Amino acid sequence: MRYEDEDFYVDLVFYHSILKCYVLIDLKLGKLTHQDVGQMDSYIRMFDDLYKHTDDNPTLGLILCSDKNEAVVKYSVLSEHRQIFASKYLLELPTPEVLQQEIIRERKQLEAID
C-alpha cells in the first residue's frame, strides 16, 4: 500500500466473497508482540481508507505467528477493533487427538465468555 510518500507491505490480501470483506494476513516468525498488533491495526485503517468500497464490510486482519503470548493477544487490541485476530501456526499437522483436545479447550474458553 502506498500512503502519501511511504510504502507499506501486507503479506497476503484476500477478498472473502461471502463475508463481503477484505482479509489482510501478516505472517510473523517468533512471538507475537503488541507492535505486530498495532501494525495490523494501521494496515486495516489504511486499507479501508484506500480500497474498501461503501458496500464492503470492515476489513479483517489475521496475524499468523509461530508463538503467541495470551496477554498480548488479549490486551493489545482495543475493544472496538474486534476484526484483528492472532493465531499460532505449526510447521507440521497435529495428530487427530491433539486437534480434538484443542477443539475442547477452545469450546470451553468460548463458553466461559458467554
Side-chain angles (χ1 to χ4, degrees):
M1 291 180 288
R2 185 155 187 82
Y3 202 82
E4 293 184 9
D5 63 342
E6 289 191 57
D7 292 316
F8 299 90
Y9 300 94
V10 179
D11 293 324
L12 300 166
V13 177
F14 296 98
Y15 188 82
H16 195 293
S17 60
I18 295 172
L19 296 177
K20 295 195 180 292
C21 69
Y22 287 96
V23 180
L24 308 181
I25 300 176
D26 204 11
L27 305 172
K28 297 290 181 187
L29 292 175
K31 190 175 270 194
L32 178 74
T33 67
H34 67 280
Q35 290 93 341
D36 298 328
V37 177
Q39 180 181 37
M40 178 56 78
D41 184 55
S42 296
Y43 287 167
I44 289 171
R45 291 171 192 264
M46 277 190 275
F47 196 90
D48 280 350
D49 187 49
L50 296 170
Y51 302 108
K52 183 178 158 286
H53 296 99
T54 55
D55 58 337
D56 287 333
N57 287 313
T59 300
L60 298 176
L62 177 63
I63 304 170
L64 296 176
C65 52
S66 58
D67 196 9
K68 66 180 179 179
N69 179 323
E70 293 296 332
V72 171
V73 173
K74 183 176 179 180
Y75 296 115
S76 290
V77 181
L78 299 175
S79 60
E80 72 268 11
H81 296 105
R82 296 184 184 271
Q83 70 267 28
I84 299 176
F85 305 94
S87 185
K88 182 177 173 182
Y89 67 84
L90 304 173
L91 298 177
E92 58 188 47
L93 291 173
T95 65
E97 293 80 18
V98 170
L99 283 173
Q100 184 65 33
Q101 291 171 355
E102 185 68 19
I103 291 169
I104 292 169
R105 186 184 69 76
E106 288 290 329
R107 179 178 288 154
K108 286 179 182 178
Q109 284 183 344
L110 289 172
E111 289 171 350
I113 293 171
D114 293 334

